[in-house]
Amino acid sequence: CFCRVLKFWPLSFLWSKLSTCEQLGHRLRHLQVISSNKKAQSQTQLMRKANIFVSLLIDVALGMLLMSWLYRKNRIGHLADTLIPVADHVAEELQDLLQWLMGAPAGLKMNRALDQVLGRFFLYHIHLWISYIHLMSPFIEMILWYVGLSACLGLTVALCILSDIIALLTFHIYCFYVYGARLYCLKIYGLSSLWRLFRGKKWNVLRQRVDSCSYDLDQLFIGTLLFTILLFLLPTTALYYLVFTLLRLLVVIVQGLIHLLVDLIDSLPLYSIILRLCRSYRLAAGVKFRVLEQQDGKPLRLLMQINPLSYGSVVRTYRLPTYSCYPKDSWTSLCKKLFLGELIYPWKHKGEKQD
Amino acid sequence: RWQKVLYERQPFPDNYVDQRFLEELRKNVHARRYRYRAVVFQSGAVVQQLCSVCVFVLTWWYMDAGMLSPQGLFGAALVSSLLGYVLFDAVDGGAGRRESGRTRWADLKSTLVFAAFTYGFSPVLKTLTESISTDTIYAMSALMLLGHLIFFDYGANAAIVSSTLSLNMAIFASVCLASRLPRSLHAFVMVTFAMQIFALWPMLQKKLKAQTPRCYVGVTVLFALAALVGLASVSSVGAVLFASLLLTISCICPYCLIRLQLLKDNIHGPWDEAEIKEDLSRFLM
């Protein structure tokens, strides 16, 4: 019934955006699997249940360890105290960057008017962001204290919360990236269409190809004027887009690393590995025979020994399925999207993998 | 007798060469015989375009030096456009306008759209190339105007001709140059003048050429003289060079063309590829 509540729009939107909620849902499903009354049908299901149980146990144990470390010696207070100055520092660095862009960055020739407009627009956003952070500063310590309590649910949940906090703190970078990307994308499409007009051609939607076209005089005139304007304003927009895309990629990489760690903890089949270590005869890859005695007239006596699985195949076979978020775009399509200015979301969450 | 077939046994050896060898060879069947005066007349189109480019650059030069005020240029261009507009219809007695079905109201709307758009965008145009060095601007404009001359539709039916591309290149060059002028009013007037001289003037000239050839020759000569006089006031070396260029194109090049026709050596015969001369569109579904 809880899941049904989540289907309504605002909640489901938030649910899909926060990775903490995904992780919690994942663990809930695991709990359901363990606590079901059906007996395990096959060896695989039994191993999976055992793996899930051990993984949950280890997770909660590590989480408790982290919590005890955090709540000792008032570390939460220290964390809250350093959070605001760090956010301020990041905002100041961004302001310096924008001032640099509004000047003559790296000796590139910018269009002064457009530069000023874009720079002032982004600076105003940073100003709003700093005010928001300062507004929240009295409550930060309390929020962190309560949020730290959720680490008892497991280390993975704590890591997911960290990733979400990073996403929230760098929300303004995400906003800037979206603005810059949309502007750049608009410019690129406009330029390519007007370049076709410049040569006297047109994109034929029906045949999906470029055809020649005889334009009217006024269309030609206005088209060429717009083409000139867009062409000369391209370096400015491209530079802003480049800078903000690099920042966004940095944040995305950090988040990706955290998620990779969470994935690792989630999917490692610890029970199977421990079984392989201690009782390796339970996991068999095959048998081998050894001759015990071989005498004439007497029957042959052989000793059967079990070949244990290698560690690699143990991990591969008994890996727990996760909602793994690996990059869904290949390198070439990612580069193409970056070049055209389309928004990229490299770590898209897939649905749960079915075995 | 020897026959030109291979399927009958003949009393001649295999490598026998008959006297009728190559009697079906024809030379220079499609060669055209040009007349000097006609070629000179047609070269007037090239001369006109060169003079247009020259006049445009001169006007920009004067405006840059401050010798020509934007209001003066705007007034002169407006008056001459109105004259040209009236002449355009009067030359063929309104037949062309009736054929194309373009009303005066549509013309007026186009003009208003141009004027409003250019006026609205002239501050943007003014600051467009502020941070680009002057040499780059000059080089780009020169390249664009050269491209305009190359791709212009002089009446020939060649693959390289593209009137859209040539007009666009000319407008691009005019925007580049206009962004170097002192104020946005200068930029607006410059771009409007470019539009008139690169888009409207050739249309009028084509009509004059078709309807009244003598008038056309007179107008071309006057235009060339005006360009030369203007150029002379700026730089006498340039004027001399330009005059020699015009003379080469209008007098010497036709002479060379006619002389070189005599050296043509095309051979035709039954060994040529077959050409389908019939209209095949009746086979299309």
Side-chain angles (χ1 to χ4, degrees), chain A residues 68-88:
Chain A
S68 71
W69 178 82
L70 262 183
Y71 282 94
R72 204 174 300 168
K73 292 198 202 148
N74 197 19
R75 287 224 173 78
I76 294 268
H78 288 317
L79 207 66
D81 280 339
T82 54
L83 204 64
I84 301 292
V86 161
D88 266 345

Side-chain angles (χ1 to χ4, degrees), chain A residues 280-298:
Chain A
S280 57
Y281 56 84
R282 291 276 295 272
L283 302 165
V287 292
K288 63 175 184 245
F289 291 95
R290 202 155 57 103
V291 175
L292 268 184
E293 330 178 340
Q294 192 176 14
Q295 289 168 2
D296 294 334
K298 288 231 176 110

